[in-house]
């Protein structure tokens, strides 16, 4: 399973609006794509900078190709809209991860 994690740093002045965006736009768009599931929205337990909050937005994908198609297509358009809307009050980066089994 592939985990697509995007970490966001959000200025406190747009925090509530950002959370609504994730709930009302980002996750519905992602879940309409075949092969994406299990949305997770988590707060980071560190303050990246005074007056900012950190969030991790995760989706599980059936393959890296599914994750990349979402990330480079519809998600890129959503992130562009987010940047246009909030400017430098929102920073983000994306990480692809793969779950592994370990025998202990």
């Amino acid at each position: 399973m592939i985990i697509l994690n995007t970490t966001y740093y959000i200025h406190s002045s747009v925090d509530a609006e950002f959370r609504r965006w994730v709930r009302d736009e980002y996750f519905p768009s992602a879940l309409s794509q075949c092969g994406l599931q299990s949305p997770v929205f988590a707060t980071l337990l560190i303050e990246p900078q005074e007056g900012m909050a950190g969030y991790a937005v995760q989706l599980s994908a059936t393959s890296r190709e599914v994750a990349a198609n979402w990330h480079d297509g519809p998600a890129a358009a959503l992130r562009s809209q987010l940047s246009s809307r909030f400017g430098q009050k929102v920073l983000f980066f994306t990480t692809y991860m793969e779950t592994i089994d370990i025998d202990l």
Side-chain angles (χ1 to χ4, degrees):
M1 182 70 58
I2 302 299
I3 299 170
L4 184 62
N5 180 86
T6 303
T7 301
Y8 292 88
Y9 297 137
I10 308 300
H11 190 270
S12 59
S13 65
V14 297
D15 188 281
E17 194 174 349
F18 169 76
R19 288 184 282 140
R20 278 191 298 275
W21 175 83
V22 171
R23 181 193 66 208
D24 297 342
E25 296 182 45
Y26 190 87
F27 280 150
S29 179
L31 295 175
S32 72
Q33 305 294 308
C34 184
L36 294 174
Q37 58 196 20
S38 306
V40 173
F41 187 47
T43 188
L44 302 181
L45 298 178
I46 59 162
E47 186 178 45
Q49 186 176 354
E50 188 173 332
M52 297 190 83
Y55 295 102
V57 177
Q58 296 184 346
L59 295 159
S60 296
T62 53
S63 70
R64 186 167 180 166
E65 180 181 41
V66 166
N69 286 341
W70 158 253
H71 179 266
D72 298 342
L78 286 168
R79 290 189 310 274
S80 178
Q81 291 170 3
L82 186 70
S83 291
S84 293
R85 188 179 198 172
F86 298 123
Q88 292 192 5
K89 292 182 179 182
V90 176
L91 305 171
F92 52 85
F93 63 92
T94 300
T95 308
Y96 291 81
M97 299 175 277
E98 185 172 13
T99 57
I100 58 173
D101 294 323
I102 57 171
D103 295 323
L104 299 177

